[in-house]
Amino acid sequence: MEPFCNTERSLATALQEAARRGTIRGTRFRVGRKEHVYNLGQPDAHIYLVEIGQVKTLTHTRDGKQCLLSIHGPGDVFGESSVLAAKHTETAQAMQVTTLVQVHVAQIMNDCDPPLREALIGHMANRLLEQQQVIANLVTMDSEHRLAALLVKLGEKVGRRKDQTAQIRDRITQEELAEMVGTTRSRVGYFLKRFSVAGVVHRTDEAHLCIHIAELTDYLENSSLSAGL
């Protein structure tokens, strides 16, 4: 999962460097909590860099059920679906007051610096691989293992790392985790309790969720938490 994070950060770094050089110009703006950055089906030709805050992307099934696709924190890039399709294939909504930088894709493709274009292509290629992994997890993993894989991914993307522990300070509800895993809120609560008893996740005094990356990764590889669970 780490390569997915690396390519996203590489693109963010390349965008920031190009902006410093003046070869591209982004538009910085703020969105309030629960406000939409863009909507499903909206024509757009931009990508978005999160400077401060958090954004989630989501879609809906034909029967109206909401499906949470991903969560993006500072340094993350989203909105690349507009590069491949004429319209966005998801909705982007701020989870808190968020500062974004909007960059027109044409500026990137016309930039004279090849590394920026290569960073965008690399990011999109790895996003495709990431989505393929999600599909594979749905087919090959039970919901408890899918939650473990998601927690590792969130820890790497939006967690504050200290050794092999990642602390997620922004609130992500059990309902949102359930939407991403494809199960119920009650099952997510049950799995989190099992993970807590096994010592692979814990809550801080401030109720922040801490992910023990190495232990959860070991669980994914060996399918064993601890004796008696």
Side-chain angles (χ1 to χ4, degrees), residues 9-22 24 49-51 74-75 101 116:
R9 291 166 187 155
S10 295
L11 176 56
T13 300
L15 285 170
Q16 292 163 346
E17 180 59 30
R20 281 192 291 268
R21 293 196 312 270
I24 64 168
L49 171 66
V50 182
E51 284 196 336
V101 177
L116 180 56

Side-chain angles (χ1 to χ4, degrees), residues 81-92:
S81 66
S82 66
V83 181
L84 302 174
K87 300 177 181 179
H88 277 297
T89 58
E90 77 284 331
T91 293

Side-chain angles (χ1 to χ4, degrees), residues 4-229:
F4 300 140
C5 301
N6 288 342
T7 57
E8 193 162 17
R9 291 166 187 155
S10 295
L11 176 56
T13 300
L15 285 170
Q16 292 163 346
E17 180 59 30
R20 281 192 291 268
R21 293 196 312 270
T23 56
I24 64 168
R25 293 184 179 181
T27 301
R28 182 176 286 102
F29 64 100
R30 289 198 349 166
V31 290
R33 181 174 179 269
K34 294 188 176 181
E35 289 184 358
H36 289 188
V37 182
Y38 56 75
N39 292 300
L40 173 70
Q42 176 182 329
D44 195 358
H46 299 87
I47 60 173
Y48 298 82
L49 171 66
V50 182
E51 284 196 336
I52 302 171
Q54 203 166 50
V55 172
K56 62 182 179 182
T57 53
L58 51 96
T59 189
H60 291 84
T61 62
R62 290 184 178 180
D63 59 2
K65 184 178 180 181
Q66 180 173 291
C67 176
L68 182 57
L69 300 174
S70 188
I71 293 175
H72 306 275
D76 287 349
V77 178
F78 65 95
E80 67 282 340
S81 66
S82 66
V83 181
L84 302 174
K87 300 177 181 179
H88 277 297
T89 58
E90 77 284 331
T91 293
Q93 182 182 36
M95 301 176 70
Q96 56 186 261
V97 176
T98 300
T99 301
L100 300 170
V101 177
Q102 180 191 61
V103 179
H104 201 286
V105 173
Q107 288 193 69
I108 299 175
M109 302 312 293
N110 294 331
D111 185 41
C112 60
D113 186 13
L116 180 56
R117 294 195 301 272
E118 292 170 3
L120 175 60
I121 294 169
H123 167 71
M124 293 178 65
N126 276 276
R127 184 72 81 199
L128 177 59
L129 292 175
E130 186 179 23
Q131 294 304 315
Q132 290 176 337
Q133 185 63 60
V134 169
I135 294 171
N137 289 350
L138 285 170
V139 174
T140 61
M141 289 183 176
D142 58 34
S143 52
E144 182 174 88
H145 283 78
R146 294 200 302 272
L147 176 61
L150 174 63
L151 291 176
V152 170
K153 175 184 172 183
L154 289 175
E156 292 172 343
K157 282 196 63 171
V158 300
R160 297 192 178 186
R161 295 290 294 270
K162 183 179 180 180
D163 298 326
Q164 289 299 310
T165 301
Q167 184 180 116
I168 300 177
R169 296 194 173 187
D170 297 307
R171 184 170 181 266
I172 300 174
T173 67
Q174 292 185 11
E175 183 176 2
E176 288 169 333
L177 291 174
E179 290 176 2
M180 298 182 76
V181 171
T183 188
T184 64
R185 180 183 179 278
S186 62
R187 293 295 287 171
V188 165
Y190 171 72
F191 297 147
L192 287 176
K193 184 176 181 180
R194 277 174 50 83
F195 292 163
S196 179
V197 171
V200 296
V201 303
H202 74 272
R203 293 278 184 182
T204 67
D205 293 338
E206 297 81 14
H208 299 150
L209 183 64
C210 283
I211 313 298
H212 298 256
I213 302 292
E215 287 84 350
L216 261 184
T217 301
D218 182 69
Y219 163 61
L220 286 168
E221 293 174 351
N222 300 309
S223 298
S224 177
L225 284 171
S226 66
L229 286 184

